Amino acid sequence: MGKIFEEANKLLKGKYKFFTTPGHKQGKGYLKFKNILRYDLTEVFGLDNLHKPTECIKDSLNELSEFYGSKKSYYLLNGSTSGIQIMIFSVFNEFDEVLIERGCHVSIMNSIFLRKLKVNYINREIYNVDLLLPDEFSKIDYRDENIILNNIKDCIHKNPKIKGVILTNPNYYGFYINQKEIYEYLRKKNIFLLIDSAHGAHIKAFNKTLECPNKFCDISVMSAHKTLAAFTQGAYLHVNNEKFIDKVDEYFSIFTTTSPSYLTMISLEKSLEDCKNYFKRKDVLLKRCNNFKKHINRDAYMYAIENSHIYCKSNGNFYYDDTRICLKFKFKNLNSKDLYDYLFRKKIICEMIFFNGIVLIPTIYTKVKDLKYLESKLKKFDYNFKENYIFELVLKACEAKYEKKIEPYEVKDRKYRFIKFKESVGKISFNDIFLYPPGVPIIFRGEKILIEHIVLINEYKKLCYDVNGLFKDEYVKIVEE
Ligand SMILES: Cc1ncc(COP(=O)(O)O)c(C=O)c1O
Protein backbone atom coordinates (compact mmCIF):
# COMPACT_ATOMS: atom_id res chain seq x y z
CA MET A 1 0.00 0.00 0.00
CA GLY A 2 1.03 3.64 -0.42
CA LYS A 3 2.18 6.46 1.78
CA ILE A 4 -1.29 7.76 2.73
CA PHE A 5 -2.39 4.32 3.86
CA GLU A 6 0.84 3.84 5.81
CA GLU A 7 0.39 7.09 7.70
CA ALA A 8 -3.29 6.47 8.45
CA ASN A 9 -2.42 2.99 9.63
CA LYS A 10 0.35 4.28 11.85
CA LEU A 11 -2.07 6.69 13.51
CA LEU A 12 -4.74 4.05 14.01
CA LYS A 13 -2.24 1.60 15.48
CA GLY A 14 -1.46 4.27 18.09
CA LYS A 15 -4.88 3.54 19.65
CA TYR A 16 -5.76 7.20 20.07
CA LYS A 17 -9.05 8.50 21.41
CA PHE A 18 -10.55 10.73 18.75
CA PHE A 19 -12.45 13.79 19.94
CA THR A 20 -12.63 14.94 16.33
CA THR A 21 -14.83 14.49 13.31
CA PRO A 22 -16.09 12.17 11.87
CA GLY A 23 -18.77 11.50 14.45
CA HIS A 24 -18.86 7.72 14.01
CA LYS A 25 -15.52 7.57 15.85
CA GLN A 26 -13.50 5.29 13.64
CA GLY A 27 -16.33 2.97 12.82
CA LYS A 28 -17.89 2.51 16.28
CA GLY A 29 -21.20 3.50 14.72
CA TYR A 30 -20.90 0.70 12.15
CA LEU A 31 -19.96 -2.32 14.22
CA LYS A 32 -23.09 -4.16 13.09
CA PHE A 33 -22.37 -3.66 9.37
CA LYS A 34 -20.48 -6.56 7.82
CA ASN A 35 -18.40 -5.94 4.69
CA ILE A 36 -19.56 -2.39 4.37
CA LEU A 37 -17.41 -1.83 1.29
CA ARG A 38 -19.78 -4.05 -0.71
CA TYR A 39 -22.16 -1.11 -0.61
CA ASP A 40 -19.75 1.15 -2.46
CA LEU A 41 -22.10 1.37 -5.39
CA THR A 42 -23.14 4.23 -7.57
CA GLU A 43 -26.11 4.78 -9.81
CA VAL A 44 -26.17 1.41 -11.55
CA PHE A 45 -29.31 0.08 -13.17
CA GLY A 46 -31.69 -1.12 -10.48
CA LEU A 47 -30.78 1.62 -8.00
CA ASP A 48 -32.26 5.07 -7.57
CA ASN A 49 -30.60 8.21 -8.95
CA LEU A 50 -29.64 11.00 -6.53
CA HIS A 51 -30.01 13.58 -9.29
CA LYS A 52 -33.56 12.52 -10.01
CA PRO A 53 -34.75 10.37 -7.11
CA THR A 54 -37.95 8.42 -7.59
CA GLU A 55 -37.55 5.33 -5.39
CA CYS A 56 -35.42 4.47 -2.35
CA ILE A 57 -33.47 7.75 -2.30
CA LYS A 58 -36.68 9.73 -2.61
CA ASP A 59 -38.25 7.83 0.31
CA SER A 60 -35.16 8.31 2.40
CA LEU A 61 -35.04 12.05 1.63
CA ASN A 62 -38.70 12.40 2.54
CA GLU A 63 -37.91 10.92 5.93
CA LEU A 64 -35.02 13.35 6.31
CA SER A 65 -37.28 16.27 5.45
CA GLU A 66 -39.95 15.06 7.83
CA PHE A 67 -37.51 14.72 10.72
CA TYR A 68 -35.93 18.16 10.28
CA GLY A 69 -39.24 19.80 9.40
CA SER A 70 -38.17 21.15 5.99
CA LYS A 71 -40.13 21.53 2.75
CA LYS A 72 -37.44 19.55 0.96
CA SER A 73 -34.12 18.03 2.05
CA TYR A 74 -31.08 16.72 0.17
CA TYR A 75 -28.13 14.42 0.85
CA LEU A 76 -24.86 16.20 0.10
CA LEU A 77 -21.75 14.26 -0.79
CA ASN A 78 -19.23 17.08 -0.73
CA GLY A 79 -19.80 18.43 2.74
CA SER A 80 -21.58 21.56 3.87
CA THR A 81 -19.20 23.32 1.50
CA SER A 82 -21.28 22.14 -1.47
CA GLY A 83 -24.52 23.01 0.36
CA ILE A 84 -23.22 26.52 0.96
CA GLN A 85 -22.45 26.83 -2.76
CA ILE A 86 -25.92 25.55 -3.66
CA MET A 87 -27.80 27.83 -1.29
CA ILE A 88 -25.82 30.93 -2.21
CA PHE A 89 -26.25 30.33 -5.95
CA SER A 90 -29.96 29.60 -5.48
CA VAL A 91 -30.79 32.70 -3.44
CA PHE A 92 -28.52 35.35 -4.94
CA ASN A 93 -27.90 36.66 -8.42
CA GLU A 94 -24.60 38.20 -9.45
CA PHE A 95 -23.87 41.55 -7.78
CA ASP A 96 -26.52 41.12 -5.08
CA GLU A 97 -25.70 42.33 -1.58
CA VAL A 98 -25.18 39.80 1.20
CA LEU A 99 -24.63 40.22 4.94
CA ILE A 100 -22.26 37.74 6.61
CA GLU A 101 -20.45 37.45 9.90
CA ARG A 102 -16.80 38.07 10.50
CA GLY A 103 -16.26 34.67 12.02
CA CYS A 104 -17.85 32.77 9.14
CA HIS A 105 -16.18 29.77 7.52
CA VAL A 106 -13.98 30.29 4.48
CA SER A 107 -16.36 28.19 2.34
CA ILE A 108 -18.91 31.02 2.64
CA MET A 109 -16.35 33.50 1.42
CA ASN A 110 -15.42 31.23 -1.48
CA SER A 111 -19.03 30.91 -2.60
CA ILE A 112 -19.62 34.65 -2.30
CA PHE A 113 -16.56 35.16 -4.47
CA LEU A 114 -17.79 32.67 -7.09
CA ARG A 115 -21.30 34.14 -7.14
CA LYS A 116 -19.86 37.69 -7.39
CA LEU A 117 -21.72 39.10 -4.41
CA LYS A 118 -21.20 42.44 -2.72
CA VAL A 119 -20.35 41.74 0.86
CA ASN A 120 -21.29 43.44 4.15
CA TYR A 121 -20.10 42.24 7.56
CA ILE A 122 -21.37 42.14 11.10
CA ASN A 123 -18.60 41.70 13.62
CA ARG A 124 -19.74 38.52 15.36
CA GLU A 125 -16.11 37.52 15.94
CA ILE A 126 -15.82 40.15 18.65
CA TYR A 127 -18.40 38.23 20.75
CA ASN A 128 -16.81 34.87 19.96
CA VAL A 129 -13.50 36.17 21.22
CA ASP A 130 -14.99 37.87 24.28
CA LEU A 131 -16.80 34.69 25.33
CA LEU A 132 -13.63 32.63 24.92
CA LEU A 133 -11.49 34.90 27.07
CA PRO A 134 -11.15 34.41 30.83
CA ASP A 135 -13.98 36.35 32.50
CA GLU A 136 -11.74 39.07 33.87
CA PHE A 137 -10.70 40.00 30.30
CA SER A 138 -14.27 40.22 29.07
CA LYS A 139 -15.03 43.74 27.85
CA ILE A 140 -18.38 43.61 26.11
CA ASP A 141 -21.43 45.16 27.64
CA TYR A 142 -24.14 42.61 27.03
CA ARG A 143 -26.99 44.65 28.49
CA ASP A 144 -28.51 44.93 25.05
CA GLU A 145 -30.69 41.86 24.79
CA ASN A 146 -30.56 41.54 21.03
CA ILE A 147 -26.97 42.17 20.12
CA ILE A 148 -26.85 40.18 16.88
CA LEU A 149 -30.35 41.21 15.77
CA ASN A 150 -29.53 44.86 16.39
CA ASN A 151 -26.24 44.54 14.49
CA ILE A 152 -28.20 43.08 11.59
CA LYS A 153 -30.80 45.86 11.81
CA ASP A 154 -28.06 48.52 11.79
CA CYS A 155 -26.44 47.01 8.71
CA ILE A 156 -29.73 46.73 6.88
CA HIS A 157 -30.60 50.29 7.81
CA LYS A 158 -27.29 51.43 6.31
CA ASN A 159 -27.68 49.22 3.26
CA PRO A 160 -31.32 48.46 2.40
CA LYS A 161 -30.21 46.58 -0.71
CA ILE A 162 -29.10 43.57 1.37
CA LYS A 163 -30.96 40.58 -0.03
CA GLY A 164 -29.91 37.87 2.40
CA VAL A 165 -28.11 37.18 5.65
CA ILE A 166 -25.90 34.15 6.34
CA LEU A 167 -25.28 33.14 9.94
CA THR A 168 -23.32 30.29 11.50
CA ASN A 169 -25.29 28.43 14.16
CA PRO A 170 -23.88 26.89 16.29
CA ASN A 171 -20.28 27.75 15.57
CA TYR A 172 -17.09 25.68 15.97
CA TYR A 173 -16.86 26.49 19.66
CA GLY A 174 -20.50 25.56 20.33
CA PHE A 175 -21.93 29.10 20.64
CA TYR A 176 -25.54 29.22 19.60
CA ILE A 177 -27.93 32.10 18.93
CA ASN A 178 -31.68 32.20 18.93
CA GLN A 179 -32.75 32.62 15.30
CA LYS A 180 -36.47 33.18 15.81
CA GLU A 181 -36.52 36.93 16.21
CA ILE A 182 -33.87 37.44 13.56
CA TYR A 183 -35.88 35.35 11.10
CA GLU A 184 -39.13 37.14 11.92
CA TYR A 185 -37.52 40.53 11.45
CA LEU A 186 -35.92 39.53 8.14
CA ARG A 187 -39.15 38.03 6.82
CA LYS A 188 -40.95 41.29 7.37
CA LYS A 189 -38.26 42.97 5.30
CA ASN A 190 -38.31 40.28 2.60
CA ILE A 191 -34.70 39.41 3.35
CA PHE A 192 -33.65 35.76 3.35
CA LEU A 193 -31.92 33.95 6.19
CA LEU A 194 -29.45 31.17 5.35
CA ILE A 195 -27.92 29.12 8.13
CA ASP A 196 -24.54 27.42 8.09
CA SER A 197 -25.22 24.76 10.69
CA ALA A 198 -22.20 22.63 9.80
CA HIS A 199 -21.94 21.96 13.56
CA GLY A 200 -25.63 21.52 14.26
CA ALA A 201 -26.92 18.32 12.58
CA HIS A 202 -27.17 16.60 15.98
CA ILE A 203 -29.03 19.33 17.88
CA LYS A 204 -32.58 18.31 17.09
CA ALA A 205 -32.03 14.80 18.44
CA PHE A 206 -29.15 15.10 20.86
CA ASN A 207 -29.61 18.46 22.54
CA LYS A 208 -33.27 19.12 23.02
CA THR A 209 -32.59 22.18 25.16
CA LEU A 210 -31.95 24.12 21.92
CA GLU A 211 -34.19 24.77 18.93
CA CYS A 212 -33.12 22.94 15.75
CA PRO A 213 -31.10 25.44 13.64
CA ASN A 214 -33.22 24.55 10.62
CA LYS A 215 -36.42 25.76 12.27
CA PHE A 216 -36.22 29.50 11.67
CA CYS A 217 -34.56 30.13 8.31
CA ASP A 218 -35.07 29.78 4.56
CA ILE A 219 -32.30 27.27 3.86
CA SER A 220 -29.75 25.51 6.07
CA VAL A 221 -26.81 23.11 5.72
CA MET A 222 -25.54 20.60 8.27
CA SER A 223 -22.34 18.54 8.20
CA ALA A 224 -23.76 15.19 9.30
CA HIS A 225 -20.18 13.87 9.20
CA LYS A 226 -19.10 16.21 12.00
CA THR A 227 -21.56 15.42 14.78
CA LEU A 228 -23.45 12.37 13.49
CA ALA A 229 -22.28 9.06 12.06
CA ALA A 230 -22.05 10.05 8.38
CA PHE A 231 -18.85 9.37 6.48
CA THR A 232 -16.59 12.36 5.97
CA GLN A 233 -18.16 14.74 3.41
CA GLY A 234 -21.72 13.51 4.09
CA ALA A 235 -24.03 16.48 4.84
CA TYR A 236 -27.67 17.61 4.75
CA LEU A 237 -29.29 20.52 2.96
CA HIS A 238 -32.76 21.67 4.03
CA VAL A 239 -35.01 24.09 2.15
CA ASN A 240 -37.92 25.65 4.05
CA ASN A 241 -38.88 28.32 1.57
CA GLU A 242 -40.68 26.64 -1.31
CA LYS A 243 -39.84 29.42 -3.68
CA PHE A 244 -36.21 28.21 -3.78
CA ILE A 245 -36.85 24.54 -4.45
CA ASP A 246 -36.51 24.74 -8.24
CA LYS A 247 -33.31 26.70 -8.05
CA VAL A 248 -31.88 24.42 -5.39
CA ASP A 249 -32.70 21.38 -7.55
CA GLU A 250 -30.86 23.02 -10.42
CA TYR A 251 -27.74 23.99 -8.48
CA PHE A 252 -27.76 20.69 -6.59
CA SER A 253 -27.24 18.95 -9.93
CA ILE A 254 -24.55 21.41 -10.97
CA PHE A 255 -22.51 21.13 -7.78
CA THR A 256 -22.98 17.41 -7.11
CA THR A 257 -20.83 14.65 -8.56
CA THR A 258 -22.39 12.49 -11.27
CA SER A 259 -21.12 9.45 -9.34
CA PRO A 260 -22.88 9.73 -5.97
CA SER A 261 -21.50 7.26 -3.43
CA TYR A 262 -24.11 4.88 -2.07
CA LEU A 263 -21.79 4.23 0.82
CA THR A 264 -21.96 7.87 1.92
CA MET A 265 -25.71 8.02 1.29
CA ILE A 266 -26.19 4.92 3.43
CA SER A 267 -24.15 6.61 6.17
CA LEU A 268 -26.33 9.73 5.89
CA GLU A 269 -29.42 7.59 6.20
CA LYS A 270 -27.92 5.74 9.16
CA SER A 271 -27.24 9.10 10.85
CA LEU A 272 -30.88 10.01 10.37
CA GLU A 273 -31.91 6.66 11.87
CA ASP A 274 -29.67 7.36 14.87
CA CYS A 275 -31.39 10.72 15.31
CA LYS A 276 -34.87 9.26 15.03
CA ASN A 277 -34.13 6.44 17.46
CA TYR A 278 -32.57 8.81 19.93
CA PHE A 279 -35.15 11.56 19.62
CA LYS A 280 -37.58 9.89 21.99
CA ARG A 281 -34.90 8.97 24.50
CA LYS A 282 -33.38 10.99 27.33
CA ASP A 283 -30.44 13.20 26.52
CA VAL A 284 -27.71 10.70 27.41
CA LEU A 285 -24.97 12.46 25.45
CA LEU A 286 -25.85 15.78 27.05
CA LYS A 287 -25.79 14.20 30.50
CA ARG A 288 -22.41 12.62 29.87
CA CYS A 289 -20.96 15.90 28.69
CA ASN A 290 -22.47 17.83 31.59
CA ASN A 291 -21.06 15.31 34.00
CA PHE A 292 -17.64 15.66 32.47
CA LYS A 293 -17.90 19.44 32.67
CA LYS A 294 -18.91 19.33 36.32
CA HIS A 295 -15.72 17.44 37.16
CA ILE A 296 -13.44 19.55 34.99
CA ASN A 297 -14.82 22.79 36.32
CA ARG A 298 -13.45 22.03 39.76
CA ASP A 299 -10.02 22.54 38.26
CA ALA A 300 -8.35 25.77 39.29
CA TYR A 301 -6.91 26.58 35.85
CA MET A 302 -9.26 25.23 33.25
CA TYR A 303 -12.91 25.72 32.45
CA ALA A 304 -15.26 23.73 30.21
CA ILE A 305 -17.76 26.17 28.73
CA GLU A 306 -21.35 25.62 29.88
CA ASN A 307 -24.69 26.90 28.67
CA SER A 308 -25.71 28.28 32.06
CA HIS A 309 -22.58 30.41 32.23
CA ILE A 310 -22.70 31.70 28.65
CA TYR A 311 -26.40 32.45 28.92
CA CYS A 312 -25.99 34.49 32.11
CA LYS A 313 -22.78 36.19 31.07
CA SER A 314 -24.19 37.30 27.72
CA ASN A 315 -27.56 38.31 29.18
CA GLY A 316 -29.39 35.80 26.99
CA ASN A 317 -27.72 36.87 23.76
CA PHE A 318 -25.83 33.60 23.38
CA TYR A 319 -26.44 30.02 24.40
CA TYR A 320 -24.10 27.08 24.42
CA ASP A 321 -24.49 23.65 22.88
CA ASP A 322 -23.45 21.57 25.87
CA THR A 323 -22.76 18.52 23.69
CA ARG A 324 -19.61 20.32 22.59
CA ILE A 325 -16.53 20.47 24.79
CA CYS A 326 -14.63 23.72 24.62
CA LEU A 327 -11.93 24.04 27.26
CA LYS A 328 -10.50 27.41 28.03
CA PHE A 329 -7.83 28.52 30.45
CA LYS A 330 -9.18 30.52 33.37
CA PHE A 331 -6.20 32.83 33.61
CA LYS A 332 -3.67 34.58 31.51
CA ASN A 333 -2.21 33.69 28.14
CA LEU A 334 -1.09 30.08 28.20
CA ASN A 335 -0.32 28.45 24.89
CA SER A 336 -3.15 26.10 23.93
CA LYS A 337 -0.79 24.32 21.56
CA ASP A 338 1.04 23.01 24.65
CA LEU A 339 -2.20 21.51 25.90
CA TYR A 340 -3.06 20.09 22.48
CA ASP A 341 0.40 18.51 22.15
CA TYR A 342 0.32 17.18 25.70
CA LEU A 343 -3.03 15.47 25.05
CA PHE A 344 -1.73 14.05 21.79
CA ARG A 345 1.20 12.52 23.66
CA LYS A 346 -1.40 11.02 26.03
CA LYS A 347 -3.20 9.53 23.00
CA ILE A 348 -6.04 12.02 22.81
CA ILE A 349 -6.70 13.87 19.55
CA CYS A 350 -8.64 17.14 19.82
CA GLU A 351 -10.60 18.83 17.03
CA MET A 352 -8.84 22.18 17.17
CA ILE A 353 -6.99 24.74 19.21
CA PHE A 354 -7.81 28.41 19.58
CA PHE A 355 -6.06 31.30 21.30
CA ASN A 356 -7.24 30.31 24.77
CA GLY A 357 -7.98 26.61 24.68
CA ILE A 358 -9.09 23.61 22.70
CA VAL A 359 -12.29 22.23 21.18
CA LEU A 360 -13.28 18.56 21.34
CA ILE A 361 -16.20 16.86 19.60
CA PRO A 362 -17.86 14.04 21.50
CA THR A 363 -20.77 12.20 19.88
CA ILE A 364 -23.04 9.33 20.90
CA TYR A 365 -20.21 7.03 19.86
CA THR A 366 -17.84 8.53 22.44
CA LYS A 367 -17.60 6.14 25.35
CA VAL A 368 -17.93 7.25 28.98
CA LYS A 369 -14.54 5.68 29.64
CA ASP A 370 -13.01 7.96 26.96
CA LEU A 371 -14.41 11.02 28.72
CA LYS A 372 -13.07 9.73 32.03
CA TYR A 373 -9.69 9.12 30.43
CA LEU A 374 -9.69 12.68 29.04
CA GLU A 375 -10.62 14.03 32.46
CA SER A 376 -7.81 12.15 34.17
CA LYS A 377 -5.21 13.42 31.67
CA LEU A 378 -6.45 17.00 31.87
CA LYS A 379 -6.06 16.90 35.63
CA LYS A 380 -2.38 16.06 35.24
CA PHE A 381 -1.59 18.85 32.79
CA ASP A 382 1.33 20.98 33.97
CA TYR A 383 0.34 24.64 33.70
CA ASN A 384 3.89 25.89 33.99
CA PHE A 385 4.18 26.60 30.29
CA LYS A 386 5.39 29.88 28.94
CA GLU A 387 3.01 32.81 28.61
CA ASN A 388 2.37 34.79 25.45
CA TYR A 389 0.53 37.93 24.39
CA ILE A 390 -2.18 36.41 22.31
CA PHE A 391 -5.21 37.75 24.28
CA GLU A 392 -4.22 41.35 23.86
CA LEU A 393 -3.46 40.84 20.18
CA VAL A 394 -6.66 38.93 19.38
CA LEU A 395 -8.71 41.64 21.06
CA LYS A 396 -6.90 44.42 19.21
CA ALA A 397 -7.37 42.68 15.85
CA CYS A 398 -11.08 42.22 16.56
CA GLU A 399 -11.57 45.83 17.54
CA ALA A 400 -9.54 47.22 14.63
CA LYS A 401 -11.49 49.09 11.99
CA TYR A 402 -11.45 46.78 9.01
CA GLU A 403 -11.87 48.31 5.61
CA LYS A 404 -13.16 46.62 2.46
CA LYS A 405 -11.34 48.28 -0.46
CA ILE A 406 -12.80 46.17 -3.27
CA GLU A 407 -15.38 43.39 -3.44
CA PRO A 408 -13.95 39.87 -3.07
CA TYR A 409 -14.97 38.97 -6.65
CA GLU A 410 -13.22 42.07 -8.02
CA VAL A 411 -9.93 40.75 -6.71
CA LYS A 412 -9.94 38.01 -9.35
CA ASP A 413 -9.52 40.40 -12.27
CA ARG A 414 -6.77 42.43 -10.67
CA LYS A 415 -3.01 41.91 -10.95
CA TYR A 416 -1.18 40.77 -7.85
CA ARG A 417 2.35 40.66 -6.56
CA PHE A 418 4.11 39.08 -3.61
CA ILE A 419 5.55 41.22 -0.84
CA LYS A 420 6.84 40.47 2.64
CA PHE A 421 3.88 40.08 4.99
CA LYS A 422 5.51 42.29 7.61
CA GLU A 423 5.69 45.10 5.03
CA SER A 424 2.12 44.81 3.81
CA VAL A 425 0.29 47.32 6.09
CA GLY A 426 -2.31 49.25 4.12
CA LYS A 427 -2.14 46.97 1.07
CA ILE A 428 -5.16 45.06 -0.25
CA SER A 429 -5.04 41.33 0.39
CA PHE A 430 -5.47 39.16 -2.71
CA ASN A 431 -6.72 36.17 -0.73
CA ASP A 432 -8.19 35.25 2.64
CA ILE A 433 -5.71 34.66 5.44
CA PHE A 434 -6.94 32.29 8.10
CA LEU A 435 -6.04 29.74 10.72
CA TYR A 436 -6.93 26.17 9.87
CA PRO A 437 -8.82 24.89 11.75
CA PRO A 438 -11.30 26.56 12.15
CA GLY A 439 -10.94 28.19 8.69
CA VAL A 440 -12.25 31.61 9.76
CA PRO A 441 -10.56 34.45 7.84
CA ILE A 442 -8.67 37.00 9.90
CA ILE A 443 -8.09 39.04 6.73
CA PHE A 444 -10.69 38.77 3.95
CA ARG A 445 -9.71 39.10 0.28
CA GLY A 446 -10.23 42.64 -1.00
CA GLU A 447 -9.62 44.09 2.44
CA LYS A 448 -6.88 46.41 3.70
CA ILE A 449 -4.20 44.61 5.72
CA LEU A 450 -3.95 46.23 9.15
CA ILE A 451 -0.99 46.35 11.49
CA GLU A 452 -3.15 44.58 14.10
CA HIS A 453 -3.62 41.66 11.67
CA ILE A 454 0.10 41.36 11.02
CA VAL A 455 1.07 41.42 14.68
CA LEU A 456 -1.59 38.84 15.55
CA ILE A 457 -0.74 36.48 12.71
CA ASN A 458 2.97 36.70 13.53
CA GLU A 459 2.19 35.75 17.12
CA TYR A 460 0.11 32.80 15.90
CA LYS A 461 3.03 31.73 13.71
CA LYS A 462 5.41 31.94 16.66
CA LEU A 463 3.05 29.71 18.60
CA CYS A 464 3.07 27.20 15.68
CA TYR A 465 -0.56 27.65 14.57
CA ASP A 466 -1.31 26.58 11.01
CA VAL A 467 -1.73 29.84 9.04
CA ASN A 468 -3.18 29.56 5.51
CA GLY A 469 -2.93 32.25 2.87
CA LEU A 470 0.73 33.17 3.35
CA PHE A 471 3.33 32.01 0.88
CA LYS A 472 6.63 30.47 1.92
CA ASP A 473 5.42 31.49 5.35
CA GLU A 474 6.51 35.14 5.05
CA TYR A 475 5.05 36.51 1.81
CA VAL A 476 1.56 37.72 1.06
CA LYS A 477 -0.19 38.24 -2.28
CA ILE A 478 -1.42 41.82 -2.60
CA VAL A 479 -3.57 43.50 -5.22
CA GLU A 480 -1.63 45.87 -7.50
CA GLU A 481 -2.99 49.40 -7.09
C1 LIG B 1 -18.80 26.58 10.34
C2 LIG B 1 -18.42 25.71 9.18
N1 LIG B 1 -19.07 25.86 8.02
C3 LIG B 1 -18.80 25.10 6.95
C4 LIG B 1 -17.82 24.13 7.00
C5 LIG B 1 -17.57 23.27 5.80
O1 LIG B 1 -18.13 22.03 6.09
P1 LIG B 1 -17.72 20.69 5.32
O2 LIG B 1 -16.38 20.30 5.87
O3 LIG B 1 -18.81 19.72 5.69
O4 LIG B 1 -17.66 20.99 3.88
C6 LIG B 1 -17.10 23.94 8.18
C7 LIG B 1 -16.03 22.95 8.26
O5 LIG B 1 -15.24 22.90 9.15
C8 LIG B 1 -17.40 24.74 9.30
O6 LIG B 1 -16.76 24.60 10.46
Side-chain angles (χ1 to χ4, degrees):
M1 291 297 249
K3 295 269 178 281
I4 300 176
F5 178 80
E6 267 174 33
E7 278 308 302
N9 215 18
K10 216 178 346 168
L11 189 77
L12 290 175
K13 274 192 181 151
K15 299 218 173 344
Y16 288 90
K17 315 227 176 289
F18 287 80
F19 285 90
T20 63
T21 70
H24 59 72
K25 305 295 170 192
Q26 288 57 58
K28 290 195 188 70
Y30 290 87
L31 297 177
K32 286 192 197 133
F33 283 73
K34 292 234 161 66
N35 279 338
I36 194 156
L37 280 181
R38 285 194 321 129
Y39 299 92
D40 188 13
L41 301 159
T42 186
E43 300 177 327
V44 292
F45 186 70
L47 287 176
D48 202 5
N49 177 349
L50 180 65
H51 286 267
K52 206 172 156 232
T54 54
E55 295 166 356
C56 61
I57 297 180
K58 184 174 177 209
D59 294 345
S60 183
L61 290 173
N62 284 343
E63 287 181 25
L64 179 69
S65 163
E66 195 181 325
F67 181 75
Y68 282 98
S70 72
K71 289 279 180 341
K72 186 164 179 183
S73 293
Y74 301 75
Y75 288 148
L76 299 170
L77 306 180
N78 190 24
S80 286
T81 301
S82 62
I84 287 168
Q85 289 166 342
I86 294 165
M87 67 182 184
I88 286 180
F89 273 72
S90 302
V91 170
F92 297 97
N93 296 314
E94 285 192 359
F95 315 120
D96 278 346
E97 300 265 352
V98 61
L99 177 61
I100 63 171
E101 307 169 13
R102 291 185 85 79
C104 72
H105 189 256
V106 70
S107 57
I108 292 183
M109 203 53 195
N110 287 334
S111 300
I112 282 173
F113 165 78
L114 288 175
R115 193 49 164 160
K116 296 193 174 167
L117 301 186
K118 295 181 181 162
V119 68
N120 303 265
Y121 301 104
I122 52 166
N123 194 357
R124 160 99 181 256
E125 193 59 356
I126 203 155
Y127 308 115
N128 291 341
V129 165
D130 191 77
L131 294 168
L132 291 166
L133 286 169
D135 283 354
E136 72 207 71
F137 284 80
S138 170
K139 275 190 175 175
I140 293 189
D141 177 356
Y142 290 96
R143 265 174 302 178
D144 176 353
E145 280 173 16
N146 279 312
I147 280 183
I148 298 284
L149 175 62
N150 287 339
N151 282 349
I152 292 174
K153 282 183 177 170
D154 269 0
C155 257
I156 289 172
H157 183 69
K158 283 188 199 128
N159 184 358
K161 285 198 199 136
I162 288 171
K163 183 176 183 184
V165 177
I166 309 176
L167 299 176
T168 308
N169 204 26
N171 68 6
Y172 336 81
Y173 309 105
F175 296 130
Y176 174 95
I177 46 176
N178 206 337
Q179 290 164 217
K180 187 168 184 274
E181 284 172 12
I182 298 174
Y183 183 51
E184 282 167 358
Y185 166 77
L186 293 176
R187 274 182 82 161
K188 279 193 204 126
K189 297 247 162 208
N190 259 331
I191 296 171
F192 303 110
L193 179 60
L194 311 184
I195 296 294
D196 171 359
S197 190
H199 295 267
H202 63 293
I203 284 184
K204 173 139 188 172
F206 297 98
N207 187 351
K208 297 180 208 69
T209 63
L210 303 175
E211 207 73 79
C212 176
N214 180 54
K215 190 163 176 188
F216 299 107
C217 65
D218 293 285
I219 310 186
S220 69
V221 290
M222 300 175 166
S223 297
H225 67 96
K226 289 192 196 299
T227 54
L228 300 176
F231 293 167
T232 297
Q233 299 182 348
Y236 301 142
L237 171 68
H238 306 293
V239 181
N240 293 335
N241 186 336
E242 260 163 319
K243 106 182 219 173
F244 291 119
I245 289 178
D246 272 355
K247 281 272 176 218
V248 170
D249 284 346
E250 191 182 325
Y251 284 107
F252 177 84
S253 277
I254 292 173
F255 286 110
T256 302
T257 169
T258 52
S259 310
S261 152
Y262 260 69
L263 208 48
T264 306
M265 283 194 277
I266 288 168
S267 77
L268 283 161
E269 189 174 58
K270 186 238 176 330
S271 304
L272 173 64
E273 284 304 309
D274 282 353
C275 285
K276 287 204 286 192
N277 292 337
Y278 195 89
F279 192 56
K280 296 177 207 102
R281 288 172 45 196
K282 294 228 166 72
D283 275 330
V284 178
L285 174 64
L286 197 61
K287 249 194 216 135
R288 277 182 197 172
C289 292
N290 283 340
N291 221 3
F292 167 83
K293 288 176 191 191
K294 216 183 325 161
H295 291 142
I296 286 299
N297 289 350
R298 290 184 200 135
D299 189 300
Y301 297 95
M302 198 175 297
Y303 181 77
I305 297 182
E306 289 177 294
N307 184 29
S308 50
H309 179 72
I310 292 296
Y311 184 79
C312 290
K313 181 176 166 185
S314 72
N315 192 24
N317 274 290
F318 295 92
Y319 299 71
Y320 193 71
D321 169 16
D322 270 326
T323 65
R324 177 112 337 169
I325 297 177
C326 181
L327 300 168
K328 64 175 189 176
F329 296 122
K330 279 187 191 165
F331 304 109
K332 204 171 158 53
N333 284 343
L334 292 168
N335 184 4
S336 340
K337 187 85 171 53
D338 292 331
L339 175 59
Y340 183 95
D341 292 344
Y342 159 80
L343 288 175
F344 189 77
R345 287 195 299 277
K346 298 296 171 196
K347 306 258 176 222
I348 293 165
I349 308 189
C350 309
E351 174 68 11
M352 70 167 205
I353 55 172
F354 62 91
F355 59 88
N356 187 33
I358 52 172
V359 176
L360 302 100
I361 303 186
T363 67
I364 40 161
Y365 295 108
T366 303
K367 301 227 163 91
V368 176
K369 70 174 194 266
D370 292 346
L371 286 166
K372 288 243 176 282
Y373 180 79
L374 170 66
E375 185 189 319
S376 71
K377 296 302 161 202
L378 284 171
K379 286 199 170 136
K380 291 188 185 134
F381 178 63
D382 173 3
Y383 289 88
N384 287 323
F385 283 102
K386 52 190 176 306
E387 288 194 1
N388 57 72
Y389 300 100
I390 208 83
F391 288 177
E392 289 81 350
L393 304 182
V394 170
L395 272 176
K396 278 195 182 133
C398 258
E399 286 163 353
K401 239 188 146 21
Y402 52 88
E403 204 181 313
K404 181 181 73 174
K405 296 298 269 186
I406 53 177
E407 294 297 342
Y409 70 84
E410 289 174 315
V411 169
K412 180 168 67 77
D413 299 321
R414 301 286 284 267
K415 290 211 167 86
Y416 66 83
R417 67 189 162 94
F418 290 96
I419 63 169
K420 286 225 158 121
F421 184 48
K422 63 179 184 204
E423 290 160 10
S424 66
V425 181
K427 305 289 184 204
I428 305 173
S429 184
F430 190 84
N431 48 270
D432 303 329
I433 302 177
F434 56 93
L435 301 184
Y436 194 84
V440 173
I442 297 171
I443 304 172
F444 286 83
R445 67 193 88 168
E447 188 167 271
K448 207 162 105 173
I449 299 172
L450 304 175
I451 183 73
E452 291 87 347
H453 292 150
I454 297 180
V455 176
L456 173 64
I457 288 169
N458 280 338
E459 184 75 4
Y460 274 132
K461 276 171 44 190
K462 254 194 257 157
L463 296 172
C464 300
Y465 281 67
D466 190 6
V467 180
N468 286 37
L470 294 184
F471 299 84
K472 292 190 181 153
D473 223 32
E474 56 171 325
Y475 290 92
V476 65
K477 253 186 193 175
I478 55 144
V479 173
E480 288 270 31
E481 287 177 82

